[in-house]
Amino acid sequence: MDDSRYINSLIAEGEHEQQDFKYKVMDAEKLSRSVSAFANTSGGRLLIGVRDDGNISGVRSEEEIYMMHAAAYEYCRPSSNIHFDTYHIGKRTIVIATIPRSSHRPVKAVTPEGKHQAYIRIADENIIASPVHLQLWRDEQSTHPVVMQYNDEEASFLHLLDGMEPQPLNHLVRASGLPRKEVIVLLARLIRFGIVKWRYDGHQFIFGNG
């Protein structure tokens, strides 16, 4: 398959969980959010030189490639691996930046204020990760095995979940009467063991049995 057919086949997929279009790259800090989101989810690729509507504009300068490097290696902590492939369609150049799923999550992007913020990829959006996701990743990196113990508080929390529709974290904290940190840790463990599920609904994360 030649470059033109290959790139157009990718464009035909549209933007999704593992693909994003970038007309041009001007801000490494902003771009680091996409790198963080792909690295923290399932990996993905950025088609640089492609507009949001799928029209090919082409990469205009080497500066855009530098920005991609900066986004991955200077504005992400830990730095994320990134691989570049160049394709030529007529007189236009398209660069595909491929970001693998990180084995050291969370990968955090540096905000303009100098803070570190982790993102995940949901459909075609980069969403700030919830405290429960951060706890899941901490558990994932821990050298100690994560065990599920059912004391009275945890049994009461599971009973609470059984009696309601999936709810945002803050609602579950209020309803359970447990400390916020304890609810976060508990939800992360329940998710890891497949007892609780999460989804992004109405611009918020909700958690529950169903």
Side-chain angles (χ1 to χ4, degrees), residues 150-185:
Y150 290 97
N151 58 29
D152 290 343
E153 285 185 343
E154 289 160 346
S156 176
F157 186 73
L158 283 171
H159 181 71
L160 174 72
L161 292 178
D162 286 337
M164 63 171 59
E165 294 294 316
Q167 299 291 334
L169 172 61
N170 288 340
H171 181 92
L172 293 175
V173 171
R174 290 192 298 269
S176 67
L178 296 173
R180 179 181 172 85
K181 177 60 178 176
E182 189 172 333
V183 173
I184 290 170
V185 170

Side-chain angles (χ1 to χ4, degrees), residues 17 31-44 76 99-101 105 107-109 117-122 125-128 137:
E17 184 178 293
L31 193 62
S32 66
R33 301 173 194 172
S34 293
V35 176
S36 167
F38 282 134
N40 288 330
T41 312
S42 303
C76 283
I99 301 99
R101 178 181 181 275
R105 300 183 294 175
V107 172
K108 295 184 177 182
Q117 184 71 66
Y119 291 80
I120 62 173
R121 185 80 174 172
I122 299 177
E125 294 185 83
N126 303 324
I127 307 297
I128 295 175
W137 294 326

Side-chain angles (χ1 to χ4, degrees), residues 73-99:
Y73 297 108
E74 296 180 30
Y75 291 96
C76 283
R77 297 292 184 274
S79 60
S80 175
N81 292 325
I82 191 166
H83 176 75
F84 295 95
D85 292 293
T86 301
Y87 298 86
H88 301 285
I89 301 177
K91 295 182 178 181
R92 294 188 174 101
T93 298
I94 302 298
V95 175
I96 297 181
T98 303
I99 301 99

Side-chain angles (χ1 to χ4, degrees), residues 62-80:
E62 290 295 324
E63 181 70 14
E64 295 189 58
I65 307 304
Y66 169 78
M67 287 288 187
M68 277 302 310
H69 275 282
Y73 297 108
E74 296 180 30
Y75 291 96
C76 283
R77 297 292 184 274
S79 60
S80 175

